[in-house]
Amino acid sequence: MSGHPAEQHHGGPAPQLDVLLPVTVILALGSLYLLLAALARHRNPVAGWSRRRTGWFLTGLGLLALAQLPPVAPFAHEDFRGHMLQHLLVGMYAPLALVLGAPVTLLLRTLPTDRARMLSGILRSRPLRVITHPALALVLSVGSLGALYFTPLYEAIDGQLIWHQVLHAHFLLSGCLFAWVIAGPDPAPARPGVPTRLVVLGIAIAAHAILAQMMYAGLYLGVRAPAEQIQGGAEIMYYGGDIGELLLAAALVATWRPTPRTKRQSHSAATR
């Protein structure tokens, strides 16, 4: 995942595991989603299940596979620019597509009634409200980039297979959480209003740009790699991050459903 070719885990079973593990997980998730989609259509043929949602989820899995397979994966092991490209695919683009697949809604439609009620209760629970708070999602998604690239952390975990997978899991989960909080179509009782989400997204865009510019300039950087790789990685982070966040903003607008006027009036009256 770096610009240190000699430090990578070449030889032995590690490279095979590095590919087989994520591919197995991706195939398992795709099969499970398709099975649940078929079950949803069988249970309620009228409502069915959106092919568009299915397409988004499979696109997300495809982007994950692209990040984990040649030529991107070997490029990421040998060059910091490849690492940054892999990071964008795993942490921004794939999460947005996966979230637009509405996996929680699919689960609610296919689980037995008692378990669906349990899942709804979890969605409304206080711990989940804390975890899905936009500020925490912002720190986990964008804030962790500062800890990774501007401290000794990146060099400490460089070339270690297990930490490589842990890092990818963090990119993916924090990216899904941020996309879900900002523009997810799934039910989320604690999701704030559109103005708040736009402010959080604006902070994320600014933070991403500042980190990329600091990386390009080499300020406080904790990554050791050739200058052309660092600057190339910073450019990928800057422009690729902008595109990813614009797509997220477009998803937010596309999934936004304004509250009906009568409902707003009733709510205002009830809170007086």
Side-chain angles (χ1 to χ4, degrees), residues 6-243:
E7 298 177 10
Q8 304 310 316
H9 34 72
H10 294 311
Q16 287 75 25
L17 181 62
D18 204 7
V19 173
L20 287 177
L21 179 62
V23 167
T24 302
V25 172
I26 288 168
L27 289 176
L29 287 175
S31 300
L32 178 61
Y33 187 97
L34 291 175
L35 180 65
L36 292 177
L39 182 59
R41 293 191 189 98
H42 176 74
R43 283 189 176 179
N44 191 339
V46 176
W49 180 249
S50 168
R51 295 183 186 279
R52 178 169 53 86
R53 299 285 185 217
T54 302
W56 276 120
F57 195 83
L58 295 181
T59 298
L61 293 181
L63 291 171
L64 279 181
L66 176 64
Q68 301 292 338
L69 296 173
V72 174
F75 182 40
H77 286 310
E78 297 171 355
D79 194 303
F80 186 72
R81 291 165 290 195
H83 160 79
M84 193 56 70
L85 175 62
Q86 194 177 47
H87 160 213
L88 284 177
L89 290 171
V90 173
M92 294 190 74
Y93 293 97
L96 176 57
L98 291 172
V99 164
L100 290 177
V104 177
T105 301
L106 180 59
L107 266 179
L108 288 170
R109 286 199 188 180
T110 52
L111 285 173
T113 303
D114 56 339
R115 294 187 181 180
R117 286 175 178 166
M118 184 184 300
L119 178 57
S120 296
I122 293 172
L123 290 172
R124 292 192 296 269
S125 67
R126 185 179 295 274
L128 199 72
R129 287 172 182 265
V130 172
I131 293 171
T132 59
H133 192 282
L136 183 57
L138 180 67
V139 170
L140 290 175
S141 176
V142 182
S144 61
L145 298 181
L148 177 63
Y149 298 124
F150 296 93
T151 72
L153 179 61
Y154 182 89
E155 292 297 328
I157 66 177
D158 188 21
Q160 301 185 42
L161 176 60
I162 183 65
W163 288 112
H164 178 72
Q165 298 297 352
V166 169
L167 182 63
H168 278 190
H170 169 76
F171 281 158
L172 178 62
L173 293 177
S174 60
C176 284
L177 176 63
F178 190 70
W180 189 70
V181 168
I182 297 297
D186 280 324
R191 182 178 286 130
V194 169
T196 301
R197 283 183 275 162
L198 285 174
V199 169
V200 173
L201 183 56
I203 294 173
I205 292 172
H208 230 132
I210 291 172
L211 290 175
Q213 289 172 344
M214 288 177 63
M215 181 180 290
Y216 190 89
L219 294 176
Y220 310 108
L221 192 62
V223 179
R224 288 184 294 112
E228 66 271 18
Q229 292 188 21
I230 294 292
Q231 292 179 351
E235 289 178 338
I236 292 172
M237 182 179 181
Y238 186 87
Y239 295 110
D242 275 356
I243 294 172

